[in-house]
Amino acid sequence: MLVGVTCELEKALELSRISGDPLTGTVGELKLLRVGHCVEERTDIKEIVAARGDGLGARLGAILNAMVLAEVLDLPFFFAWPPMVSDAGYHAIAPVSEIFSKEFIDRHYREAIDLGSYQKIMESTITAQLIADVRRDPKLRGLLIEHWYGPVPVEGHSHDAPALLRAAFARIGFSTAIQRVLAAARRVPLQDCIAIHARRGDIVYGDYRFRLFNAKYTPRAIVKAVIRSALDSGHRVLLFSDDAATLELMKQEYSVVLSSDLGGANFSSAEERAIFDLVVMSRCHRIICNRSCFAIMAHYIGKAPMHDIIEYYGKCEAKRSMLADLEQYRSQYTDLEAAKTYQYVAIELAAVVSHPERTALLSKASELDPDNYAYAHTRALDLMRRGELVEADRVLGVAAERYFDSGGQVTAELAKGFHVLEKGRKQLAKAAASPLAGPYTCAHWSHELLRTESAKSALPFAQRAHELAPASVLLAARLSSCLLAVQRTDEANALLSRFLDAGVESPVMHLLRADVYQGRREKRKALEDVRGALRLSPSHPYCVARLAWQCALCGKTSEAKKLVALVPSHGDQDPAVLYLQAKTLERLGDLQSALKAATVALQMRPKKAHYRERVASIKAALEHAGGRRWSLRAGV
């Protein structure tokens, strides 16, 4: 859920903007609410308060939510810091003056808050109606935020709620001692560390055990299994727990890292050590936990993704089972199914797979199914995210050149599909913009720009790709195609002729140069280049269909008819071939067959405007021919 405020909320509020001295908390004749004090009722003045009395994580969660809502709704924010009544020995709750700065306390703290004077917000959405009801009720001072496990949802708006909570945490005025703790926690080098949080203390040994709280508890066996899986994946494991015995036992058995090893032991008070743990945990690669307030707050004040430990354990077991079965019963798997298994573990169970493991799994999948460009695209994006741009470009290049060769070099396509790269568009764009970007990274970004923007936008990246790999026929052909799309035909012709005149045997270059000649109305030269393409790929449906079209343009009707009939049957699966057949058949006067081919092509590529125009053109020709036959029969 995301934090925000709608126009309807603003209208419903109709609150006077509060001005005055924020340090004293007074506005004109209004005195802030204190228990036992007489207060002048002003129904247009409302506020946001937080006053949880349980553990540190829940208190901070409520305070952060209250701060965010107060800022969004332009209302004052206050908090209370009551002493813990139950299981105080299991929680790090120091006096308010030891946690927060004097200025923050003077501005926002209240020794007591009359909870009955506020609308409680816990697991509920703030709506325009709720705000209007609170405003009208003279007994209510505002909203009491009890919600702690994530942002308070507000009707009708979407914002980057985690960013708002992080910003709120940065605005809290902490005491000098806590500021030293924060600075120390932020200096700890963590690399690829995984945080595992095992809440135990009060829900195992304290009064909270009588309320069960199973959603917060992690069985010891699960903790062990997750630690083993993370270590096997090559991660460094940082274990957090409110149970000292569990920490010591896991350190002895598995050599996990404890926060005390990272400097936490240097702080004398439990409160300081708890906040050190909170910030260190927030900076880990990921946080694995149950529904513990403490771990959830670490997730929200940092950027570490959070995983439910039971679900994580399930994925660990699935990964172990799948890979063990594949290793033990490899003969039962075809190469393609083995490849599918490897990529499934790498992608769908990514939370329990380290970067090196993921790379190895995807590499195995690619080796077993080398024609599957989706595996290469996934690997390349992973490498880009880690800044390994050279290797990412190599992976893209191997896949693209293989696809180019497997298709007989008839088209300059980089792959049959780009679903993975389209999802990773931002990462690809970032990599292509880097000075370290390789030729195939630039070529793929050029393709994406051609798909989403224009040939003009794509051209600079196509040029850079060719400059970085000038010997690549594929990249030269792509640049030529881009130049033709922006009407720079002379440059395209010069580039194509340089390769062809040097003896490069490439069907796509002959076809592209035929486009140049056709644009200049030099039909005979175009025909010769298309013949050259067919000579190199005599059974390719596109080359056969293209030569039929070129013959029809040159008036070689008899040859055109023979060729259009010779297009291999699998050409029906290629809309470009069908489109060429439709044009040829229309020119030869077989309008019914032309319409059939054009219609199928349009069904396969419904967004192609020139396909749609071709269908309309043939239909118009059929109507005209039908009208003419009727006129002849009627003697008109």
Side-chain angles (χ1 to χ4, degrees), residues 265-285:
N266 297 333
F267 299 103
S268 57
S269 72
E271 297 75 25
E272 291 174 334
R273 292 193 295 273
I275 290 179
F276 180 85
D277 285 0
L278 185 73
V279 176
V280 169
M281 191 189 305
S282 77
R283 297 179 50 238
C284 287
H285 177 64

Side-chain angles (χ1 to χ4, degrees), residues 69 375 462 483 601:
L69 286 168
Y375 297 164
L483 289 167

Side-chain angles (χ1 to χ4, degrees), residues 41 135 165 173 231 288 305 308 312 328 497 529 547 576 584 610:
E41 288 193 351
R135 185 181 67 83
L165 292 174
L231 291 172
I288 304 167
D308 178 87
Y312 192 91
Q328 186 174 356
S497 295
D529 262 317
L547 184 56
T584 305
H610 59 291

Side-chain angles (χ1 to χ4, degrees), residues 501-521:
D501 293 348
V504 172
E505 298 282 23
S506 171
V508 70
M509 289 197 156
H510 280 293
L511 292 170
L512 287 169
R513 193 165 68 174
D515 290 338
V516 173
Y517 289 138
Q518 187 60 42
R520 294 174 177 175
R521 299 188 182 280

Side-chain angles (χ1 to χ4, degrees), residues 4-20:
V5 61
T6 64
C7 294
E8 289 78 9
L9 283 175
E10 291 178 333
K11 183 177 179 181
L13 279 168
E14 296 177 359
L15 296 172
S16 301
R17 297 306 183 195
I18 294 177
S19 60

Side-chain angles (χ1 to χ4, degrees), residues 168-227:
F169 185 77
R171 292 199 306 274
I172 292 178
F174 286 107
S175 66
T176 301
I178 298 300
Q179 287 181 33
R180 285 196 293 267
V181 173
L182 295 174
R186 288 166 181 154
R187 288 195 299 267
V188 174
L190 294 173
Q191 290 93 28
D192 196 21
C193 211
I194 283 183
I196 298 176
H197 182 257
R199 171 84 178 270
R200 309 182 66 74
D202 56 345
I203 56 177
V204 175
Y205 303 106
D207 291 342
Y208 275 15
R209 77 183 191 276
F210 299 114
R211 295 177 61 184
L212 301 184
F213 282 122
N214 284 339
K216 299 176 185 290
Y217 171 67
T218 308
R220 187 183 297 276
I222 300 296
V223 175
K224 289 181 177 182
V226 170
I227 288 173

Side-chain angles (χ1 to χ4, degrees), residues 561-584:
K561 286 181 178 179
K562 290 179 182 178
L563 286 165
V564 81
L566 291 173
V567 174
S569 59
H570 61 278
D572 292 346
Q573 300 170 18
D574 186 341
V577 171
L578 288 165
Y579 179 69
L580 280 173
Q581 286 180 290
K583 291 201 300 180
T584 305

